[in-house]
Amino acid sequence: DYENVFLNKTLQDIPGQDPASVQLAKGAGKTLLCMMNFSRSKESTFTVRIPDGLGAGKEYYSGETVQSGQTVQVELASGDAKVFVFGG
């Protein structure tokens, strides 16, 4: 679904977040907010303010809706990821 975003992306760090775990991938008319827990042994909690200007979005797997400017708290088990899709 989002192969073009990954192939033609521009990565953007989110202030206050470790860029290895939380980043925006922009491209092909869509923006993905990606959160990844690379820990092999523990659950991680991310508190992320969704950058302004992205509009409405939804989580890829669950369909949870979010809005730019909103702060989300995400708990991820070891090796898990969460992706919010903006722009259609």
Side-chain angles (χ1 to χ4, degrees), residues 12-81:
Q12 179 180 332
D13 294 348
I14 296 180
Q17 301 297 322
D18 178 355
S21 297
V22 180
Q23 279 201 345
L24 286 175
K26 295 183 171 190
K30 297 192 184 333
T31 298
L32 306 179
L33 170 55
C34 306
M35 300 178 205
M36 297 147 284
N37 179 1
F38 291 108
S39 168
R40 291 181 179 249
S41 61
K42 65 177 184 165
E43 184 175 88
S44 292
T45 300
F46 300 91
T47 302
V48 178
R49 184 179 180 281
I50 299 170
D52 294 327
L54 294 179
K58 69 178 182 176
E59 205 280 321
Y60 180 78
Y61 301 102
S62 71
E64 171 190 359
T65 58
V66 294
Q67 188 70 33
S68 59
Q70 177 181 343
T71 298
V72 294
Q73 187 167 357
V74 175
E75 292 181 11
L76 294 175
S78 174
D80 276 355

